[in-house]
Every structure is written in structure tokens, then in C-alpha cells.
Amino acid sequence: MESITRKSNSQNWIVIPTYWTSGTKTGGFDHPTPVNGNSTLPRLLDSMINQKENDFRVLILAGGVDESVLPLASEAVDQIKQKYQDQLQITNCDY
């Protein structure tokens, strides 16, 4: 995982919280993304790439409805993030 304290030209951060589930359990979240399902995160990142002003960094927070799903959530975010690293200043953090 990339350190979020690394120096960057950009001082602007966009923080994206994501919530994941491994089944039908929702926890305290109204619509978590199934780790084996379709995420809306790629659509959001595609939109960010197309912005005229791109002087920002992206921090994706990966959370789960319970602790057992956190490793799967982290892996799902890592896989999505890899597709965008050449186009966005992007990092992620598990919580």
C-alpha cells in the first residue's frame, strides 16, 4: 500500500469511502457492494479521469460490514485501483 504521507504536487484529496459485504448482510450500511459483484467504483474513477481539472489525489477507504470481509474488500479495491494508477494519483486504506 502506498503511503498517504508521500509528497505530491497536489494538495487536494478526494476521499471515497467504500463499503463491502460477502453476502446479503448489510450491517449499518444501506447498500454495501458484494465483493464478488459489480462495484460502482470503476464508473466513478472513469469520470474522474475525464475531468478538465485533475489536480487532485484520490484516497479510497475500504470498509466491510464486519471484520471477516475486510481482506476481501481490500483485495477488491486493490484490483480496481490497479487499472487506474497510470491515470490518477490514487491510493487506498483499509479500515
Side-chain angles (χ1 to χ4, degrees):
M1 184 182 323
E2 176 185 355
S3 170
I4 61 174
T5 59
R6 186 177 67 141
K7 298 247 181 204
S8 168
N9 293 335
S10 175
Q11 298 298 316
N12 301 311
W13 284 84
I14 297 174
V15 180
I16 305 169
T18 62
Y19 307 101
W20 301 83
T21 185
S22 59
T24 58
K25 187 175 180 182
T26 61
F29 309 107
D30 60 353
H31 55 277
T33 301
V35 291
N36 60 352
N38 291 330
S39 171
T40 57
L41 187 55
R43 186 172 44 180
L44 173 61
L45 297 174
D46 286 336
S47 177
M48 290 179 156
I49 289 169
N50 294 320
Q51 298 301 309
K52 284 172 107 175
E53 299 294 327
N54 61 0
D55 184 29
F56 58 84
R57 295 184 57 127
V58 178
L59 173 61
I60 302 171
L61 303 177
V65 297
D66 60 48
E67 286 187 36
S68 68
V69 79
L70 288 177
L72 298 171
S74 178
E75 183 179 325
V77 170
D78 279 340
Q79 287 178 356
I80 293 169
K81 180 181 90 169
Q82 287 177 4
K83 298 176 187 174
Y84 296 91
Q85 287 199 286
D86 291 341
Q87 300 160 328
L88 293 170
Q89 295 181 65
I90 189 170
T91 191
N92 60 302
C93 179
D94 306 331
Y95 65 101

